[in-house]
C-alpha cells in the first residue's frame, strides 16, 4: 500500500510544483507536469532515418557575428547540463538566417548533452546510432519575442530554432578549452557556485565550436526537449561532426547536478531525452546543389561557365 502511495506522490508532485522539478531520471512523469506538452505529436529528439529523409537544397546559413570574440557570457551548471549563456547585449551580436529558416534568429545560449559511456549521450540519432555527446545552440525570433522562454511558450512552430551538432571522440579540440578549463569551478551544483560570470571566462567565437562544414544538415519541426516540451522549435542537425578528445569529454562527466538517480548518484551523465515518435513528420536532408554556394566558395556549372566565357568574348569584341 505504502509503495502505491509513494508512486502516486512521485507522479503528482511534479504536476503540482511545475517544470522546475523535472529531471532526466523521471522522464515518464514529464507529460503529467501541469501545462506540459510532452506527449504532443511533434516532439524532439528523434531518430533520423537517412534513407527516408527528403533530399533538397535549403541554401547556406548566414551566421552574422559568430566569429566575433566577446567576454559577455556566463558558464552555468543549471543542475542538469552545462550552459554557455550570452548576456542580453551580446545576444544582438549573433544573427542566424538562411538555411531555409523563415526569418532571422538571435542566438541566446549553447548547451551540451553527454553520456556516461561513449556509446551514447546525444539526443538525436542518425539511423539509430547515437553519439557520445551533442551540442545545441538555441536561438529565438527576437523581433517578435522578449526572450527564448516567451518564444517557446508562444507555441508558434517558427518561434525558435536550434542548431545541433554531434560530438565525437578524436583529437584534442582547442576551441573547447576556454570553457572546459573552467568547468571544475562550477562542477558541484550543491556548492551553490553554479555560474562563472563575465571576466572570468575567456572569450571565444561561437563559430569555433561548431562543425567546420555547415552546408549539409537535416531539418525538421519539433519541440523543446525538456518540459514543457513546447512544439516551437525548427531543428537543424548537421551531418559534419565535432571532435574532442576523450580527456575533454571526461570533463563533462565531472559535473554534479541537482537531481540524484535511483542509486542516489548526483553525477550529470546521460542528460538526454528519450527518442520521440516521428508521427509522419517530414525530415529534410539539405545539401548544396552544383549551382549553389557552399561554404563561401561558389561552384559553377559547366553551362554557367560556358555562358561566362561567351559573355567575356562578346565584351572583348565590343572593346576592340
Ligand atoms: Zn539540448
Amino acid at each position: 500500500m505504502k509503495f502505491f502511495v509513494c508512486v502516486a506522490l512521485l507522479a503528482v508532485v511534479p504536476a503540482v510544483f511545475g517544470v522546475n522539478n523535472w529531471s532526466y531520471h523521471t522522464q515518464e512523469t514529464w507529460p503529467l507536469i501541469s501545462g506540459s506538452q510532452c506527449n504532443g505529436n511533434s516532439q524532439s529528439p528523434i531518430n533520423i532515418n537517412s534513407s527516408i529523409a527528403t533530399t533538397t537544397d535549403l541554401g547556406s546559413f548566414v551566421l552574422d557575428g559568430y566569429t566575433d570574440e566577446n567576454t559577455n557570457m556566463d558558464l552555468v551548471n543549471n543542475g542538469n547540463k552545462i550552459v554557455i549563456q550570452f548576456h542580453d547585449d551580446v545576444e544582438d551580436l549573433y544573427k542566424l538566417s538562411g538555411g531555409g529558416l523563415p526569418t532571422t534568429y538571435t542566438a541566446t545560449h549553447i548547451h551540451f548533452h553527454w553520456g556516461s559511456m561513449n556509446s551514447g549521450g546525444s539526443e538525436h540519432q542518425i539511423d539509430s546510432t547515437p553519439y557520445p555527446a551533442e551540442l545545441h545552440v538555441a536561438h529565438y525570433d527576437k523581433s517578435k519575442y522578449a526572450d527564448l522562454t516567451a518564444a517557446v511558450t508562444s507555441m508558434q512552430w517558427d518561434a525558435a530554432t536550434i542548431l545541433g551538432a554531434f560530438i565525437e571522440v578524436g583529437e584534442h579540440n582547442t576551441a573547447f578549452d576556454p570553457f572546459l578549463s573552467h568547468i571544475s569551478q562550477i562542477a558541484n551544483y550543491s556548492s551553490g557556485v553554479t555560474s562563472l560570470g563575465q571576466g572570468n571566462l575567456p572569450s571565444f567565437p561561437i563559430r569555433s565550436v561548431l562543425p567546420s562544414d555547415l552546408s549539409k544538415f537535416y531539418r525538421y519541426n519539433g519541440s523543446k526537449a525538456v518540459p514543457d516540451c513546447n512544439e516551437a522549435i525548427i531543428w537543424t542537425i548537421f551531418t559534419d561532426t565535432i571532435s574532442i578528445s576523450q580527456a575533454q569529454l571526461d570533463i563533462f562527466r565531472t559535473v554534479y547536478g541537482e537531481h540524484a538517480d535511483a542509486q542516489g548518484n548526483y553525477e550529470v551523465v546521460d542528460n538526454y531525452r528519450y527518442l520521440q515518435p516521428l508521427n509522419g513528420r517530414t525530415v529534410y536532408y539539405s545539401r548544396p546543389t552544383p549551382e549553389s554556394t557552399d561554404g563561401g566558395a561558389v561552384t559553377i556549372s559547366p553551362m554557367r561557365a560556358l555562358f561566362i566565357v561567351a559573355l567575356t568574348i562578346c565584351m572583348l569584341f565590343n572593346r576592340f
Side-chain angles (χ1 to χ4, degrees):
M1 184 61 185
K2 283 180 182 172
F3 172 77
F4 291 110
V5 171
C6 286
V7 169
L9 279 172
L10 284 172
V12 168
V13 165
V16 172
F17 289 99
V19 297
N20 292 329
N21 286 276
W22 64 265
S23 94
Y24 283 104
H25 310 302
T26 58
Q27 296 193 32
E28 64 279 7
T29 66
W30 290 6
L32 303 173
I33 294 172
S34 178
S36 159
Q37 287 119 38
C38 297
N39 57 356
N41 287 322
S42 300
Q43 293 289 294
S44 297
I46 59 168
N47 173 49
I48 295 170
N49 184 340
S50 64
S51 67
I52 61 168
T54 301
T55 300
T56 185
D57 180 5
L58 295 172
S60 302
F61 282 107
V62 179
L63 294 94
D64 194 11
Y66 284 56
T67 55
D68 295 342
E69 289 193 18
N70 69 82
T71 56
N72 240 353
M73 50 178 71
D74 295 338
L75 184 66
V76 179
N77 173 357
N78 72 0
N80 58 63
K81 54 178 77 78
I82 290 294
V83 182
I84 298 167
Q85 183 71 51
F86 310 139
H87 290 201
D88 285 349
D89 56 332
V90 173
E91 277 187 0
D92 292 326
L93 292 176
Y94 306 124
K95 298 294 183 191
L96 173 70
S97 60
L101 296 173
T103 188
T104 298
Y105 293 89
T106 299
T108 182
H109 77 254
I110 302 172
H111 67 255
F112 301 88
H113 304 264
W114 61 91
S116 54
M117 313 254 288
N118 289 10
S119 54
S122 64
E123 294 223 287
H124 291 85
Q125 297 184 16
I126 304 288
D127 298 328
S128 301
T129 303
Y131 286 78
E134 186 170 336
L135 170 151
H136 290 155
V137 189
H139 306 70
Y140 67 101
D141 182 355
K142 199 167 186 173
S143 70
K144 291 182 181 172
Y145 308 103
D147 52 32
L148 180 63
T149 301
V152 296
T153 53
S154 74
M155 291 301 293
Q156 299 300 306
W157 68 276
D158 58 351
T161 192
I162 292 178
L163 298 183
F166 295 117
I167 297 175
E168 294 189 281
V169 174
E171 295 293 309
H172 181 90
N173 187 336
T174 56
F176 278 58
D177 287 341
F179 57 93
L180 284 183
S181 60
H182 289 274
I183 280 184
S184 62
Q185 294 171 258
I186 56 156
N188 189 354
Y189 187 83
S190 65
S191 73
V193 181
T194 57
S195 178
L196 190 66
Q198 184 179 357
N200 297 306
L201 190 65
S203 61
F204 66 94
I206 60 176
R207 177 65 183 87
S208 68
V209 298
L210 295 174
S212 53
D213 180 4
L214 304 182
S215 69
K216 296 184 281 295
F217 55 89
Y218 292 100
R219 164 66 47 75
Y220 78 99
N221 294 335
S223 75
K224 183 179 166 187
V226 298
D228 290 334
C229 310
N230 315 75
E231 295 177 346
I233 311 281
I234 299 173
W235 280 89
T236 297
I237 304 295
F238 295 110
T239 59
D240 193 18
T241 60
I242 304 160
S243 283
I244 64 174
S245 67
Q246 184 66 57
Q248 289 180 302
L249 178 61
D250 289 343
I251 293 175
F252 285 106
R253 295 170 176 161
T254 64
V255 175
Y256 282 76
E258 184 179 8
H259 300 98
D261 62 14
Q263 287 75 43
N265 192 337
Y266 282 84
E267 284 178 348
V268 178
V269 287
D270 301 322
N271 55 349
Y272 57 87
R273 189 185 187 193
Y274 307 143
L275 292 172
Q276 302 297 305
L278 192 58
N279 289 330
R281 282 173 286 175
T282 300
V283 177
Y284 295 94
Y285 170 60
S286 178
R287 82 288 177 265
T289 48
E291 281 83 13
S292 70
T293 301
D294 181 4
V298 178
T299 308
I300 302 172
S301 68
M303 189 59 76
R304 186 175 293 182
L306 197 61
F307 175 77
I308 291 171
V309 169
L311 185 66
T312 305
I313 292 170
C314 289
M315 288 175 69
L316 285 171
F317 273 122
N318 279 341
R319 186 174 171 185
F320 298 108

